[in-house]
Amino acid sequence: EPEVTQTPSHQVTQMGQEVILRCVPISNHLYFYWYRQILGQKVEFLVSFYNNEISEKSEIFDDQFSVERPDGSNFTLKIRSTKLEDSAMYFCASSEDNGAFTHLETEAFFGQGTRLTVV
Amino acid sequence: AQKITQTQPGMFVQEKEAVTLDCTYDTSDPSYGLFWYKQPSSGEMIFLIYQGSYDQQNATEGRYSLNFQKARKSANLVISASQLGDSAMYFCAMREGSNTDKLIFGTGTRLQVFP
């Protein structure tokens, strides 16, 4: 069964360093997302990406963050100058374009997550 | 106000019994979708079931069913014939309106199934 894959599964980085989290969405999906989950808290939306551009972003997704689809298969989240509070599980997700007028009912398929620890 | 409220931080159920996990939502948009995800200890998020605001019938997927009460704005997940492998965190989520892709998650309920 096709799945979203994320690498690495765990990343430790020093405060102030840049990190890139990588994701390979399901191949025929056209919508891509990043979510994060701070330990013990709920999952929070960061950004959605469609047709090679950001379609929506949350207030969390500030200038420190950027996303890219560099080669048609990978989808990356870059965090510049990491802070301690960036420590979280980061989930990539993707969903298909079902051709309907609304995207409302299309489920997002999540990867297994990357646990980022900033020290 | 919270968009998604899950009032049960933890639930216990005996194997083979049914369990209901509560979820209430808050939106003024007539178009919305409600989702349930399972997060086992390994961390991944697994889609379970979807209910659309215009759906006339409650959604069912195998042992999972959604008790959708629109007037009460509740979308409770019912797991029948619980199995030990059902032990996990369960998150209710909403996609609000037709102009957004984002899912809004609740705080989750940790379900423990005991023999």
Side-chain angles (χ1 to χ4, degrees), chain A residues 52-66:
Chain A
N52 285 319
E53 62 183 20
I54 290 173
S55 51
E56 191 172 358
K57 62 182 180 178
S58 73
E59 62 273 10
I60 301 169
F61 194 87
D62 59 20
D63 293 341
Q64 180 195 12
F65 295 91
S66 62

Side-chain angles (χ1 to χ4, degrees), chain A residues 21-47:
Chain A
L21 309 183
R22 303 180 191 280
C23 169
V24 179
I26 295 174
S27 62
N28 63 335
H29 286 186
L30 299 178
Y31 291 85
F32 314 115
Y33 316 87
W34 283 101
Y35 288 81
R36 79 171 185 192
Q37 184 181 30
I38 295 172
L39 187 63
Q41 298 185 25
K42 62 181 173 182
V43 178
E44 300 173 294
F45 170 78
L46 292 178
V47 65

Side-chain angles (χ1 to χ4, degrees), chain A residues 35 37 42 56 104 106 108, chain B residues 2 37 39 95 100-101 103:
Chain A
Y35 288 81
Q37 184 181 30
K42 62 181 173 182
E56 191 172 358
L104 193 66
T106 310
Chain B
Q2 295 291 321
Y37 282 85
Q39 187 181 40
R95 183 175 281 136
T100 180
D101 295 324
L103 290 170

Side-chain angles (χ1 to χ4, degrees), chain A residues 36-101:
Chain A
R36 79 171 185 192
Q37 184 181 30
I38 295 172
L39 187 63
Q41 298 185 25
K42 62 181 173 182
V43 178
E44 300 173 294
F45 170 78
L46 292 178
V47 65
S48 60
F49 192 86
Y50 174 71
N51 202 23
N52 285 319
E53 62 183 20
I54 290 173
S55 51
E56 191 172 358
K57 62 182 180 178
S58 73
E59 62 273 10
I60 301 169
F61 194 87
D62 59 20
D63 293 341
Q64 180 195 12
F65 295 91
S66 62
V67 290
E68 196 177 31
R69 189 154 162 80
D71 57 11
S73 62
N74 290 286
F75 179 53
T76 62
L77 174 69
K78 182 190 290 186
I79 310 175
R80 286 181 279 275
S81 189
T82 49
K83 302 187 283 256
L84 294 176
E85 54 264 38
D86 294 327
S87 295
M89 182 76 95
Y90 287 81
F91 290 102
C92 173
S94 68
S95 59
E96 62 181 356
D97 183 351
N98 61 10
F101 176 72

